[in-house]
Amino acid sequence: MDQAQSQNEAEFPWEIGVFDAHCHPTDTMSSIADIPRMKATTLTVMSTRGEDQDLVLQIANDLAKELPGTQKQRPRILPCFGWHPWFSHQILDDKADKSDSNSGIGESAAELKKAHYRKVLKPSPDDAFISTLPEPKPLSQLISETRSRLLAFPTALVGEVGLDRAFRLPQAWMQEEIDARNGEMTPGSREGRRLSPHVVRIEHQKAILEAQLRLAGELQRPVSVHSVQGHGAVFELFKSLWKGNERKVASRREMKRRHNVDGAHAGSDAEGDEDGDGESLSDGRVKQPLAFPPRICMHSYSGPVETIRQFLHPSNPSDVYFSFSDVINFGHQSDKSVAVIKALPDDRVLIESDLHIAGEEMDERLEQVTRQVCELRGWDLKQGVQQLADNWKRFVYG
């Protein structure tokens, strides 16, 4: 019996701790009651749009109340608050609009709505399509509300945020689609509707993403990042936010002198601390908030191996992790994902379900992707589950 066959037949070691780095159970609220009975230890639950922000907050509060005092340090739910690029058109960049001194003067709310959607969508939508879209929310309001939710949970993440060049807005609901709609699904998502030709301009997506990344930097929270056909643009945005805060990379001579440090990356972490990642400077002045998050998860990463080398450069002041799901990474993108998983350092790999429903299926997806990752990396199953658990804890808590 070869190692792969032996691993597939081995009993799965749930007792070590299995952590879903990215999922969406609030899309099916009827499944939330199944979470306490799940085998997975903690679900990192994303919010994406207006309809689910308070739902994520609600289930995090409700499930925390059910835990005995000794278990509250290991919550079943880790909430994440953010605005997904699929819904970024619903956000009005009021900071950018204020830079235009004539913006909005004398215009009605309906005219302002039309102007906003014609500015951020391409091709420019007609009045009929715009009438089906919600009133846009000001970016300043989004950031204020997200800050309040993050402060309510000191370990909460920012997510799901990102860029998506492939996404097209769905068409308005047809009556037959409304009649056939699954009432258990939280409103706001596509739910199988036909797609329109309209996409969100990448410049607008970047503005919404940057504002959320700056908030994550201000509060020093990790982020979960969605990227489809936009890995280069995501990296360039991070690079612009990192500018001036790069870690010092030790030379080979310095590495030999510091032989007691486990690798150049650990050495660069120490240098970063000396440069002042704390809350105050030696003379008592309070430091300005950083413009970037301390840790980043590229969720269901679908980019090439070459790009991960950019994200993992030791001078980058954010630690970047890469998570993989059975539903995204082991389908049509399998070959590319296999190469990436094999190329990553042991301590930067995470697993996720990316599933919209909690319960038995989510556990099954987590077990499946864990077995696949362990097989690809040549990890013993117990060793791999422990490594993935340690990685998640480091990504979340530092």
Side-chain angles (χ1 to χ4, degrees), residues 92-222:
L92 172 70
D93 187 358
D94 47 347
K95 180 179 178 181
D97 289 350
K98 283 178 183 176
S99 65
D100 181 357
S101 59
N102 296 317
S103 176
I105 294 177
E107 291 185 294
S108 68
E111 290 171 331
L112 288 170
K113 177 182 175 180
K114 290 178 184 178
H116 164 72
Y117 283 117
R118 287 177 181 145
K119 178 181 178 181
V120 304
L121 297 180
K122 65 175 185 180
S124 182
D126 59 24
D127 289 356
F129 188 77
I130 292 173
S131 70
T132 68
L133 300 175
E135 292 293 326
K137 175 198 283 284
L139 179 57
S140 59
Q141 181 183 343
L142 165 63
I143 295 302
S144 177
E145 291 173 354
T146 305
R147 181 184 288 107
S148 295
R149 293 186 179 102
L150 291 168
L151 291 174
F153 282 87
T155 58
L157 277 62
V158 172
E160 178 177 0
V161 300
L163 300 178
D164 194 318
R165 293 184 185 274
F167 176 74
R168 290 183 288 152
L169 273 65
Q171 295 280 13
W173 284 95
M174 304 293 288
Q175 187 58 50
E176 59 267 26
E177 293 170 333
I178 295 173
D179 294 340
R181 183 180 179 272
N182 180 354
E184 292 189 348
M185 295 291 291
T186 299
S189 63
R190 177 189 171 189
E191 295 186 47
R193 284 179 288 163
R194 288 170 292 181
L195 296 177
S196 78
H198 303 293
V199 300
V200 186
R201 294 183 183 275
I202 198 67
E203 295 80 9
H204 182 71
Q205 292 188 45
K206 285 181 180 178
I208 305 309
L209 174 57
E210 180 175 344
Q212 295 180 93
L213 294 177
R214 288 184 178 276
L215 176 61
E218 173 193 331
L219 300 181
Q220 284 297 279
R221 304 299 179 88

Side-chain angles (χ1 to χ4, degrees), residues 280-320:
S280 62
L281 302 173
S282 58
D283 61 3
R285 290 178 293 126
V286 177
K287 276 196 65 180
Q288 292 298 313
L290 295 173
F292 54 86
R295 294 173 299 282
I296 299 160
C297 172
M298 300 300 294
H299 117 81
S300 285
Y301 179 74
S302 59
V305 169
E306 292 74 23
T307 305
I308 70 172
R309 297 189 180 109
Q310 293 178 306
F311 277 112
L312 293 175
H313 194 279
S315 68
N316 297 340
S318 301
D319 290 332
V320 185

Side-chain angles (χ1 to χ4, degrees), residues 222-376:
V223 297
S224 187
V225 177
H226 170 108
S227 178
V228 174
Q229 298 179 17
H231 305 295
V234 168
F235 177 76
E236 288 303 317
L237 178 53
F238 276 119
K239 190 175 178 181
S240 70
L241 297 177
W242 289 333
K243 189 173 182 179
N245 292 277
E246 292 84 356
R247 290 166 169 156
K248 181 181 177 182
V249 180
S251 67
R252 290 185 178 181
R253 182 176 296 178
E254 289 171 326
M255 288 170 62
K256 287 180 180 179
R257 287 203 305 262
R258 288 153 42 185
H259 59 85
N260 60 320
V261 177
D262 184 18
H265 191 76
S268 63
D269 283 342
E271 292 288 349
D273 291 339
E274 290 171 12
D275 288 342
D277 284 338
E279 296 182 355
S280 62
L281 302 173
S282 58
D283 61 3
R285 290 178 293 126
V286 177
K287 276 196 65 180
Q288 292 298 313
L290 295 173
F292 54 86
R295 294 173 299 282
I296 299 160
C297 172
M298 300 300 294
H299 117 81
S300 285
Y301 179 74
S302 59
V305 169
E306 292 74 23
T307 305
I308 70 172
R309 297 189 180 109
Q310 293 178 306
F311 277 112
L312 293 175
H313 194 279
S315 68
N316 297 340
S318 301
D319 290 332
V320 185
Y321 295 75
F322 298 81
S323 64
F324 301 93
S325 62
D326 181 56
V327 66
I328 300 295
N329 297 109
F330 291 98
H332 64 283
Q333 300 188 38
S334 180
D335 290 345
K336 186 188 293 183
S337 297
V338 165
V340 169
I341 291 169
K342 288 182 175 181
L344 283 170
D346 284 352
D347 63 352
R348 298 304 177 92
V349 184
L350 300 171
I351 51 99
E352 57 170 276
S353 68
D354 196 23
L355 207 59
H356 67 284
I357 185 169
E360 185 176 350
E361 183 180 354
M362 189 174 281
D363 277 339
E364 289 173 354
R365 293 290 182 92
L366 291 171
E367 178 176 346
Q368 178 68 14
V369 71
T370 300
R371 288 183 183 275
Q372 289 169 314
V373 168
C374 288
E375 180 180 343
L376 288 172

